[in-house]
Amino acid sequence: EVQLVESGGGLVQPGGSLRLSCAASGFTFSSHWMSWVRQAPGKGLEWVANIKEDGSEKKYVDSVKGRFTISRDNAKNSLYLQMNSLRAEDTAVYYCARSTWSGHCFYWGQGTLVTVSS
Amino acid sequence: QSALTQPASVSGSPGQSITISCTGTSSDVGSYDYVSWYQQHPGKAPKLMIYDVSNRPSGVSDRFSGSKSGNTASLAISGLQAEDEADYYCSSYASSSTRVFGGGTKLTVL
């Protein structure tokens, strides 16, 4: 059974940093693209970033470029999202998803809440 | 990277059929057959219902179908059931190898 478990969310002040993790199990992690998708409270879904199986390709939504970094450790079956220079508008539930190269998210985690506030 | 356009809400009675539209541009929906649709119940993670415009993942009811014409994709749900009441989001592959979602549509089963 595919399982994705996010962790690392919490309350952070504007300008601060946070690192999200996603522990994957139940499939061959190193054979799949992975994505981060977020959802602000009461709002819709927003694609944030994705990463190729071997980490050689990474793409980001314009609003996080230069501030967020997606990475993975295939030996640990883990996906990460390093978030720097956080802003109030980054407040959201962040979902980790197993995806295809074209971006279809077949499996999702339960999400982790990030709140940026002073 | 502008969001795709979906109606804010649609409704239908049990047993009826409804369609949700998703309008993009020639930089996303119009140029790629990589449209997907997601169902999200309150407080839950999204669930993939349609991918590559019209394909259903294993386990998704055949009451759900997808199509595309030009810059607009559509999700059709036939034989509406109470459990179909949820938010639905479309998504498309876009230029620069990024991804864009629609604003979401709230489906109410009357």
Side-chain angles (χ1 to χ4, degrees), chain A residues 17-92:
Chain A
S17 298
L18 213 54
R19 188 197 197 204
L20 305 184
S21 299
C22 172
S25 61
F27 65 100
T28 304
F29 182 73
S30 59
S31 297
H32 294 273
W33 282 72
M34 297 296 294
S35 299
W36 287 101
V37 177
R38 67 184 179 183
Q39 186 169 34
K43 303 297 185 181
L45 301 173
E46 181 183 34
W47 176 82
V48 175
N50 64 2
I51 185 169
K52 193 177 179 180
E53 295 97 330
D54 61 0
S56 61
E57 288 184 38
K58 304 174 185 181
K59 295 291 183 179
Y60 301 90
V61 67
D62 284 347
S63 59
V64 309
K65 280 182 183 175
R67 301 188 299 122
F68 290 12
T69 302
I70 189 173
S71 63
R72 64 192 297 162
D73 185 335
N74 287 344
K76 294 183 178 180
N77 290 339
S78 293
L79 175 72
Y80 306 102
L81 186 66
Q82 177 67 44
M83 305 185 294
N84 299 330
S85 303
L86 282 162
R87 307 166 180 167
E89 54 264 36
D90 296 318
T91 293

Side-chain angles (χ1 to χ4, degrees), chain B residues 11-32:
Chain B
S11 63
S13 299
Q16 287 187 332
S17 298
I18 63 95
T19 300
I20 300 172
S21 63
C22 169
T23 301
T25 69
S26 58
S27 296
D28 38 64
V29 176
S31 291
Y32 307 100

Side-chain angles (χ1 to χ4, degrees), chain A residues 39 61-62 102 104-105 109, chain B residues 1 36 38 40 45 52 89 99:
Chain A
Q39 186 169 34
V61 67
D62 284 347
S102 55
H104 302 310
C105 296
Chain B
Q1 295 176 335
S36 47
Y38 300 87
Q40 186 180 35
D52 288 347
Y89 296 90
R99 201 69 199 173

